């Protein structure tokens, strides 16, 4: 079976480097928020071209901490896309703010500026822009839109490691960027990990406090924070994995470009091409098909795993059916949720695997 991810077939040199990193940590005798975390914060923030990185427990916490560091909470509204991992919306709830979900552009599956504009109210404090599937798009438009409405732009970069537009990286356009290093992400730890990146020293300092019980210095708690500290073990392994990320990202780009040119089945639609090759990291390669379930089953019989990201938009989740939303509805998100399908696109795929996926997709016929 060609899987969506295949960690077991990663290069032995990478595995050896990760084991070496684990040994380094064990021998140091320091396990949480130590030198490895500081080194990884420096390495990742500089890879993203920003001044500060604050290592946290996971990507969802990075979003919550960004909101709290901006003093966004009860009584404030935060707009985001309903077509995202539930964590994006949950982080807004966790910060005590009110999420308002907007619709997507059907060509890209990314947040629609027009829909966000319909969601703006006097209580709006921020937009969380999700670089879904790894796509960085319309960044100039988002920067000027949020400036015109005097609201903060926070980037959810969980799927967009190293995506860049004219040399500016995901997370550097807004006031803060939130990264997840969940194992399946393009840069993934051997467990949960995350980071908030920012150029703003005050936000960085406040975030460092919030992740550690709201502690300013040892045993002093000027505010009620959380426990969202990054472990040394994850940071040390991420330092090793980061060395491979450019090569792995190029491989994803190559696979995605091959799918785009060689999957020619008229029953399968591609999303809009990237604005530039560098502006897409192809965390997921998503196509749409009106007969999505039949296509998924067909691929499965050809030994190709395909998954759905995401089958249920946030406003259809049982926990938040009454969530505030675009007054004109969220029909493009609903359509996308019913038709989207992610094909395997990961750096361990062999050329032959790519050919198998392409011929399986092209041989699908209307049921
Ligand atoms: C778009 C998006 N935002 C946020 C998150 C949350 O990251 P984590 O699972 O590390 O909390 C994820 C990960 O699933 C994601 O894909």
């Amino acid at each position: 079976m060609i899987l969506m991810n295949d960690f077991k077939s990663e290069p032995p040199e990478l595995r050896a480097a990760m084991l070496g990193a684990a040994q380094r940590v064990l021998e140091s005798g320091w396990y949480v928020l130590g030198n490895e975390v500081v080194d990884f914060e420096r390495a990742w923030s500089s890879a993203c071209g920003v001044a500060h990185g604050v290592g946290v427990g996971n990507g969802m916490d990075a979003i919550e901490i960004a909101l709290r560091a901006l003093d966004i909470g009860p009584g404030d509204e935060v707009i985001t896309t309903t077509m995202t991992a539930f964590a994006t919306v949950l982080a807004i709830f966790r910060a005590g703010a009110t999420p308002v979900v907007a619709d997507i552009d059907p060509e890209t599956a990314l947040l629609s500026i027009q829909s966000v504009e319909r969601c703006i109210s006097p209580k709006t404090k921020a937009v969380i822009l999700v670089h879904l599937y790894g796509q960085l798009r319309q960044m100039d438009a988002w920067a000027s839109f949020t400036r015109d409405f005097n609201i903060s732009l926070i980037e959810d970069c969980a799927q967009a490691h190293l995506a860049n537009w004219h040399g500016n990286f995901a997370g550097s356009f807004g006031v803060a960027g939130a990264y997840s290093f969940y194992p399946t992400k393009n840069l993934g730890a051997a467990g949960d990990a995350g980071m908030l990146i920012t150029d703003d020293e005050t936000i960085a300092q406040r975030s460092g406090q919030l992740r550690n019980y709201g502690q300013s210095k040892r045993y002093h708690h000027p505010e009620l924070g959380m426990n969202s500290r990054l472990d040394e073990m994850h940071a040390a392994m991420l330092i090793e994995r980061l060395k491979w990320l450019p090569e792995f990202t190029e491989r994803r780009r190559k696979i995605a470009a091959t799918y785009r040119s060689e999957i020619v089945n008229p029953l399968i639609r591609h999303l809009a091409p990237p604005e530039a090759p560098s502006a897409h990291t192809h965390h997921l390669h998503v196509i749409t098909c009106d007969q999505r379930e039949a296509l998924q089953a067909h691929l499965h019989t050809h030994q190709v795993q395909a998954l759905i990201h995401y089958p249920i938009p946030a406003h259809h989740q049982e926990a938040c059916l009454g969530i505030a939303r675009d007054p004109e509805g969220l029909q493009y998100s609903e359509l996308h949720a019913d038709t989207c399908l992610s094909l395997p696109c990961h750096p361990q795929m062999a050329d032959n695997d790519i050919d198998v996926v392409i011929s399986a997709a092209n041989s699908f016929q209307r049921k």
Side-chain angles (χ1 to χ4, degrees):
M1 181 68 87
I2 300 171
L3 300 170
M4 292 293 291
N5 286 292
D6 193 357
F7 305 124
K8 286 194 197 159
S9 58
E10 284 182 344
E13 305 93 291
L14 173 54
R15 179 60 53 93
M18 288 173 71
L19 288 170
Q23 186 162 4
R24 203 161 75 218
V25 172
L26 289 174
E27 284 171 6
S28 78
W30 191 282
Y31 299 145
V32 179
L33 290 187
N35 291 335
E36 300 285 350
V37 169
V38 171
D39 287 350
F40 180 56
E41 287 173 337
R42 284 205 189 108
W44 185 243
S45 57
S46 84
C48 299
V50 301
H52 308 282
V54 181
V56 297
N58 54 69
M60 187 180 83
D61 285 357
I63 302 171
E64 178 184 340
I65 289 173
L67 291 167
R68 293 185 62 183
L70 287 160
D71 286 320
I72 296 172
D76 299 328
E77 291 178 359
V78 177
I79 303 169
T80 195
T81 169
T82 191
M83 178 44 64
T84 182
F86 192 62
T88 314
V89 176
L90 182 53
I92 303 171
F93 281 113
R94 300 276 311 171
T98 303
V100 181
V101 287
D103 208 0
I104 56 168
D105 170 348
E107 300 299 315
T108 63
L110 297 184
L111 196 55
S112 145
I113 293 197
Q114 292 73 25
S115 176
V116 169
E117 191 162 356
R118 292 192 290 271
C119 294
I120 297 261
S121 86
K123 294 182 180 169
T124 307
K125 288 289 177 333
V127 169
I128 300 181
L129 184 60
V130 181
H131 303 310
L132 195 72
Y133 308 146
Q135 310 170 84
L136 206 55
R137 288 183 193 272
Q138 291 191 288
M139 293 316 296
D140 294 342
W142 280 111
S144 59
F145 177 87
T146 47
R147 208 179 310 115
D148 291 350
F149 283 95
N150 195 25
I151 53 181
S152 298
L153 176 63
I154 297 171
E155 298 174 64
D156 179 341
C157 312
Q159 303 187 357
H161 306 76
L162 295 189
N164 68 94
W165 171 242
H166 293 309
N168 296 311
F169 286 81
S172 70
F173 296 88
V175 64
Y179 277 93
S180 165
F181 304 112
Y182 184 76
T184 57
K185 301 303 188 216
N186 287 23
L187 179 59
D192 277 309
M195 194 181 292
L196 177 150
I197 62 164
T198 181
D199 267 325
D200 185 314
E201 193 172 346
T202 313
I203 291 175
Q205 190 275 332
R206 182 90 186 276
S207 303
Q209 186 169 290
L210 282 164
R211 76 174 164 185
N212 193 15
Y213 308 145
Q215 177 173 275
S216 55
K217 59 181 179 182
R218 208 158 194 201
Y219 304 131
H220 289 255
H221 301 269
E223 65 180 329
L224 302 175
M226 43 210 275
N227 179 352
S228 185
R229 300 177 294 228
L230 182 55
D231 297 335
E232 289 283 280
M233 201 67 97
H234 293 317
M237 290 193 188
L238 283 163
I239 288 169
E240 299 306 326
R241 296 185 68 79
L242 176 53
K243 295 173 189 164
W244 290 75
L245 183 59
E247 182 184 326
F248 283 0
T249 306
E250 280 314 311
R251 180 70 181 154
R252 287 177 189 268
R253 288 186 178 130
K254 166 93 190 344
I255 297 167
T258 311
Y259 285 165
R260 178 172 291 284
S261 63
E262 294 187 21
I263 295 178
V264 291
N265 188 332
L267 300 175
I268 295 175
R269 287 182 303 275
H270 297 278
L271 295 179
E275 284 189 359
S278 67
H280 201 328
T281 61
H282 306 282
H283 171 61
L284 293 167
H285 187 89
V286 176
I287 50 92
T288 62
C289 175
D290 294 340
Q291 295 198 307
R292 188 256 312 277
E293 270 69 28
L295 173 60
Q296 187 178 24
H298 171 85
L299 292 171
H300 200 264
T301 60
H302 287 78
Q303 301 299 307
V304 175
Q305 186 185 32
L307 299 177
I308 301 168
H309 301 90
Y310 295 92
I312 308 175
H315 66 286
H316 283 168
Q317 294 293 346
E318 212 180 321
C320 53
L321 291 174
I323 195 167
R325 64 196 70 184
D326 180 345
E328 288 190 13
L330 301 160
Q331 64 265 23
Y332 290 123
S333 301
E334 288 163 6
L335 180 64
H336 187 75
D338 287 344
T339 56
C340 65
L341 191 64
S342 309
L343 304 179
C345 179
H346 64 79
Q348 274 64 56
M349 287 177 74
D351 289 348
N352 184 53
D353 296 335
I354 304 171
D355 294 342
V356 170
V357 175
I358 291 167
S359 59
N362 283 335
S363 65
F364 176 65
Q365 290 175 354
R366 193 172 286 284
K367 292 281 176 281

